[in-house]
Amino acid sequence: MTENDFIPKPYANSVENGRFTWSSPSNIALVKYWGKKKDQIPENPSISFTLSDCKTITTLSFLKKDLSTALKVTNEFSFDVFLDGEKKDDFKPKIETFFKRVETYLPFLRNYHFKIETTNTFPHSSGIASSASGMSALACCLMSLEKELMDANVASSAVEMSHEYFIQKASFLARLGSGSACRSLEGDLVVWGHHDAIEGSSDLYGTRYRFEVHKNFKNYQDTILLVDKGEKQVSSTVGHNLMHGHPFAQQRFNQAHENLLKLIPVLKNGDLDAFIKIVESEALTLHAMMMTSMPYFILMKPNTLEIINKIWAYREKENSKICFTLDAGANVHVLYPENESMQVSEFIKNELVAYCQNGHYICDKIGFGASQLTIEKK
Ligand code: PMV
């Protein structure tokens, strides 16, 4: 598939108004994406666990502009955004930029007035980025509308948009909203970025990891320790850009290819010791890239390091398969197999909660991607 394959043919139908609701989860990368080219093309391939409970639920209501006397027919994008029922005009520039980036692929965008109502299952100020779940949920809602416009509704010549195309294009659009969002559409493991050893992998969208995965990874647990809920000092966008001209950039991109290749047999044979080595090294490398950027910066906090040391000590003492990973922030994702759930939650309560801001943490696990909640159209 190329970008051009996502430009639709003239639509068969017209849809006046309606609404769609989708729920889409967050994801946590095992091999990290850090550094991008133009148009959100990643410098290296990445792979993530899709999460289950940290998600965004978005309702997109739409009304065709020329139907309403109240709405002036202009050629502007017309939309309002609400978070938890409250109008959020400060979210509009991000969505406006997203609409501009995707309008070649969704030519109907200027024909409607949209109401975007969104809510997250995790607290907004938790330091958990809602861009992956938020952008993927919005992309799915827009694809539901495109599917209605596209599907020929004459039974005899019914041409339905395939589920595969729907998800692929939703992922393609989500990527243009926020890179790693393209890995949230499906589960339980998703690859984004071309890798020679992974057929079908693409820089343009995420694809479900199709090689064999050992039962050790079934229901893999992710407890997110909220170390710092504040706004990040350096955004991901700035961080990605600092990989241009970074002295270790090329070595890092090569390493990500190698780590993804090494992960394939590890995921197949369930070797958790090898898994831990790759995942923790990836997390620390990501932060090492930040510390060696110019200007340099540190997103970890003292408590991030305290938690990492406690995890290492517990693993050694209990012969556990617990490990950690980090995203672009101070929070720690604690990963462990389901059969250790009881002991690890005791450990978290007794020894790690003290390092979380206000004692807050979120229990999540590997999940299966976006799902549609409601459909209404006229
Ligand atoms: O999708 P972005 O631009 O927010 O970047 C995400 C980068 C990391 O979370 C640090 C790594 C990843 O692959 O998700």
Side-chain angles (χ1 to χ4, degrees):
M1 295 288 270
T2 67
E3 274 102 337
N4 287 343
D5 295 316
F6 293 109
I7 300 176
K9 298 204 178 73
Y11 296 126
N13 300 326
S14 107
V15 184
E16 303 304 333
N17 64 66
R19 58 191 189 136
F20 298 110
T21 302
W22 278 82
S23 146
S24 190
S26 186
N27 68 75
I28 180 69
L30 305 172
V31 172
K32 309 287 180 181
Y33 146 63
W34 197 243
K36 62 180 166 186
K37 302 176 197 157
K38 204 172 151 271
D39 297 332
Q40 313 268 91
I41 296 297
E43 289 276 13
N44 64 259
S46 57
I47 184 168
S48 51
F49 276 152
T50 306
L51 295 183
S52 169
D53 298 337
C54 285
K55 47 193 185 187
T56 298
I57 296 152
T58 297
T59 297
L60 178 77
S61 309
F62 51 93
L63 176 62
K64 204 156 181 197
K65 279 182 185 168
D66 55 2
L67 252 192
S68 156
T69 45
L71 290 170
K72 247 185 42 221
V73 183
T74 67
N75 205 26
E76 303 294 303
F77 293 124
S78 165
F79 63 95
D80 290 310
V81 196
F82 295 80
L83 174 69
D84 298 328
E86 216 177 282
K87 199 152 180 270
K88 281 278 177 194
D89 285 342
D90 47 329
F91 284 15
K92 288 185 86 170
K94 198 164 181 196
I95 294 184
E96 177 97 22
T97 306
F98 173 60
F99 278 3
K100 276 190 196 138
R101 282 190 196 154
V102 299
E103 73 165 321
T104 318
Y105 310 102
L106 299 174
F108 60 81
L109 282 179
R110 290 182 196 266
N111 303 344
Y112 290 90
H113 174 74
F114 296 105
K115 183 178 181 192
I116 302 165
E117 293 167 283
T118 183
T119 177
N120 299 319
T121 58
F122 47 91
H124 181 59
S125 57
S126 59
I128 300 187
S130 57
S131 52
S133 51
M135 280 299 172
S136 52
L138 180 57
C140 285
C141 291
L142 292 167
M143 281 309 294
S144 282
L145 176 51
E146 173 156 88
K147 183 170 158 50
E148 291 306 323
L149 292 166
M150 222 177 216
D151 285 353
N153 52 2
V154 188
S156 55
S157 63
V159 199
E160 258 202 49
M161 184 190 287
S162 71
H163 176 71
E164 195 194 358
Y165 180 82
F166 184 110
I167 293 294
Q168 204 167 63
K169 183 162 174 183
S171 172
F172 171 85
L173 298 171
R175 183 198 99 238
L176 290 165
S178 170
S180 61
C182 76
R183 295 188 312 236
S184 278
L185 284 299
E186 294 178 283
D188 42 0
L189 279 153
V190 176
V191 174
W192 168 42
H194 176 77
H195 191 288
D196 284 340
I198 303 180
E199 211 193 314
S201 57
S202 169
D203 286 347
L204 299 179
Y205 44 81
T207 49
R208 202 159 58 75
Y209 179 78
R210 287 177 206 280
F211 294 129
E212 200 179 324
V213 177
H214 193 275
K215 62 175 176 12
N216 282 353
F217 297 103
K218 199 168 172 270
N219 276 334
Y220 222 69
Q221 306 287 303
D222 179 4
T223 301
I224 309 161
L225 305 179
L226 305 177
V227 171
D228 186 37
K229 305 192 212 166
E231 185 107 335
K232 280 186 280 189
Q233 282 137 346
V234 179
S235 71
S236 290
T237 312
V238 172
H240 285 293
N241 281 335
L242 290 173
M243 289 303 280
H244 295 296
H246 189 292
F248 307 134
Q250 201 48 54
Q251 291 93 318
R252 162 60 198 152
F253 303 145
N254 296 345
Q255 181 200 40
H257 279 265
E258 284 158 22
N259 279 343
L260 187 43
L261 189 62
K262 282 190 205 155
L263 207 52
I264 297 171
V266 169
L267 290 170
K268 183 176 172 189
N269 60 31
D271 181 347
L272 293 178
D273 294 320
F275 177 78
I276 290 170
K277 276 196 192 135
I278 297 169
V279 168
E280 291 191 344
S281 162
E282 275 289 319
L284 294 179
T285 302
L286 167 69
H287 284 259
M289 290 301 111
M290 299 172 190
M291 289 192 246
T292 48
S293 295
M294 192 55 78
Y296 41 82
F297 59 105
I298 302 180
L299 295 184
M300 290 188 286
K301 297 282 179 199
N303 281 352
T304 311
L305 297 181
E306 294 286 356
I307 290 169
I308 292 174
N309 280 311
K310 287 271 180 194
I311 288 175
W312 284 343
Y314 176 85
R315 187 160 76 217
E316 176 82 26
K317 185 162 158 262
E318 304 293 334
N319 196 19
S320 160
K321 303 299 179 198
I322 189 174
C323 73
F324 71 86
T325 188
L326 306 166
D327 53 19
N331 296 337
V332 182
H333 288 249
V334 187
L335 302 177
Y336 48 99
E338 193 186 22
N339 64 9
E340 289 196 36
S341 288
M342 298 259 275
Q343 304 91 295
V344 171
S345 46
E346 281 306 302
F347 163 60
I348 290 173
K349 274 187 233 145
N350 297 337
E351 295 195 45
L352 301 185
V353 164
Y355 300 105
C356 299
Q357 203 176 346
N358 306 324
H360 286 168
Y361 64 96
I362 297 174
C363 296
D364 209 338
K365 57 178 179 301
I366 204 162
F368 296 93
S371 57
Q372 184 159 21
L373 303 181
T374 58
I375 313 172
E376 262 175 53
K377 70 204 179 212
K378 278 188 198 123

